[in-house]
Amino acid sequence: MAYIVDRRLNSKNKSLVNRERFLKRYQKQIRRAVSDAVSRRNITDMEQGESITIPKRDISEPVFRHGEGGKRNIVHTGNKEFVEGDRIQRPPGGAGGGSGSGQASANGEGMEDFVFQISQEEFLEYLFEDLALPNMVKRQLLSTDSFEHHRAGVSEVGNPAQINIVRSMRSAQGRRIALRGKERRRRREVLAALEALEQAGDSPETEAQRLLLKAELTHLNVKIHAIPWLDDFDLKYNLKVKVPKPSPKAVMFCVMDVSGSMTQDIKDTAKRFFFLLYLFLKKNYEKIEVVFIRHHTQAQEVDENTFFYARETGGTVVSSALNLMGDIIEERYSPSQWNIYVAQASDGDNWHEDNQRCHDALISNILPFVQYYTYIEIGDRDPQGLWHLYEHLQRDFMDRFAIQRVRNNAEIYPVFRELFKRHTGEELD
């Protein structure tokens, strides 16, 4: 029987480290579970944690076991107990030592799949891993409360936590050298005179001089030691100044078709896409504005609750939403100061005569000024009028225009990741 004893000390946060190691090891299964959860959950439950099931075939652990039977003449390097020719008894068969390949134990019990829970934060972390808004540019300061602290030398006053020990000690040493210099020089002269008197021999005059010099030496030592080793004005503090931090000013326009041709299933799929987008923006970007636009024959800017839960419907005039978006950009979001993003979802239906108005609105008022424009067409029908229009526009604005088709809820998450995948060099702000 072989025993293995692990004598490594446990770290302070061993359970946290082990959990992170475990999540990293099974991230493939976790990503698959997160993707499945997006398609089956209700919108209101989208940001909750998730139960992850690891199949038993994936949770095998490395084990030490006896090798294959038969005649073996190997003596491994480092062995200190056996030499070539020794005979070792074969392990007995049965429970605990048999050679069977099954997973059942001696009492007939087997191994089930392993199930564990990930938190809301971990769920969102896997949900939006390696995603980013494309083409983000730092333009102007977003607000005066966005600052960074930069080192700016040393100061005579400051917080004790910011004390600069090296500069303080250097200042104290310089002060002591400067204040003690005269007394130290005189003390060296007195010591030299005392040594000379010692060699001159004993006489009443030399004894009197010796007493005077010793009294002066005592006075000099008192003056030298009276100078403090560290004084208040020796203290130096690291000076940090607040420097305005350039932050990207960004706005996301969410444009959703709520016309009569959008069935309830299609609307639900569109809402899932926009809710994923909303969660992604909230998690990864601290300061970003979101503008919600619903449209049928008329377009309206609404709040978050109305956007996701209102039931108003009507005909389809897509240009009404694009014109409203152009007006909002002109009034509130100057392209020279803002990173402008657009996400649009529709079933593709639109009045034929309105397609040209959509083309003109996009060419003149929107696409030249946006960082990124995404469009998803929902449904299992053949591509509709809007899709063909946007295909032509994509050729002219390939760097900032992306279109995708979605047939059902299961395709939302893969499409979302494709639209917002992080490219090399892009960073979260």
Side-chain angles (χ1 to χ4, degrees), residues 322 354-364 389 393 396:
L322 301 180
D354 189 56
N355 285 338
Q356 185 60 42
R357 292 195 289 268
C358 292
H359 178 274
D360 296 340
L362 287 167
I363 289 293
S364 58
L389 170 64
L393 292 174
D396 298 329

Side-chain angles (χ1 to χ4, degrees), residues 134-349:
N135 308 326
M136 181 75 79
V137 177
K138 294 182 178 180
R139 299 183 183 276
Q140 295 185 0
L141 295 183
L142 184 59
S143 61
T144 56
D145 62 349
S146 181
F147 294 95
E148 288 180 331
H149 287 84
H150 288 189
R151 289 284 298 273
V154 296
S155 173
E156 302 291 338
V157 295
N159 190 323
Q162 298 296 330
I163 190 170
N164 189 314
I165 297 177
V166 174
R167 294 294 294 270
S168 298
M169 294 298 100
R170 186 183 301 169
S171 176
Q173 184 181 21
R175 175 184 55 79
R176 293 195 304 272
I177 292 173
L179 294 180
R180 294 174 176 176
K182 182 179 179 180
E183 286 74 12
R184 290 170 69 89
R185 284 195 301 272
R186 179 55 187 165
R187 188 173 68 170
R188 287 195 295 270
E189 294 173 357
V190 171
L191 290 173
L194 284 172
E195 185 178 354
L197 289 175
E198 291 291 338
Q199 296 176 358
D202 294 334
S203 68
E205 294 180 358
T206 57
E207 184 65 24
Q209 292 179 2
R210 187 181 296 112
L211 292 175
L212 290 174
L213 290 175
K214 287 184 177 180
E216 185 180 0
L217 180 61
T218 302
H219 179 68
L220 290 173
N221 287 332
V222 170
K223 290 185 66 175
I224 291 174
H225 289 94
I227 298 174
W229 188 75
L230 184 68
D231 210 334
D232 289 342
F233 53 80
D234 294 329
L235 299 179
K236 307 299 179 185
Y237 301 89
N238 294 322
L239 179 62
K240 291 188 176 182
V241 296
K242 293 172 64 176
V243 179
K245 179 182 177 181
S247 301
K249 298 173 66 173
V251 57
M252 172 66 75
F253 286 88
C254 298
V255 182
M256 181 168 61
D257 185 357
V258 293
S259 61
S261 62
M262 295 276 289
T263 65
Q264 191 59 43
D265 290 340
I266 294 178
K267 289 180 182 178
D268 179 67
T269 303
K271 290 177 182 178
R272 286 175 181 271
F273 173 80
F274 284 116
F275 197 77
L276 271 180
L277 177 60
Y278 187 55
L279 289 178
F280 165 65
L281 297 177
K282 284 201 308 180
K283 182 183 185 303
N284 290 342
Y285 298 91
E286 293 182 0
K287 298 179 180 179
I288 188 169
E289 296 191 17
V290 182
V291 177
F292 296 102
I293 297 177
R294 291 165 54 97
H295 75 89
H296 38 81
T297 54
Q298 296 180 344
Q300 182 182 11
E301 181 182 357
V302 297
D303 57 24
E304 174 190 344
N305 187 68
T306 304
F307 183 82
F308 286 106
Y309 302 110
R311 304 182 66 83
E312 182 182 2
T313 187
T316 307
V317 180
V318 177
S319 62
S320 62
L322 301 180
N323 291 330
L324 175 59
M325 180 166 49
D327 294 340
I328 294 175
I329 292 175
E330 183 178 359
E331 293 174 6
R332 288 152 40 189
Y333 303 106
S334 170
S336 63
Q337 302 179 14
W338 290 82
N339 292 279
I340 302 173
Y341 295 88
V342 182
Q344 180 184 1
S346 173
D347 64 346
D349 279 345

Side-chain angles (χ1 to χ4, degrees), residues 7 16 23 34 38 75 170 303 312 344 348 380 387 405 420:
R7 298 187 182 276
L16 178 61
L23 293 178
V34 168
V38 173
V75 178
R170 186 183 301 169
D303 57 24
E312 182 182 2
Q344 180 184 1
D380 53 6
W387 178 268
R405 300 196 71 231
F420 295 102

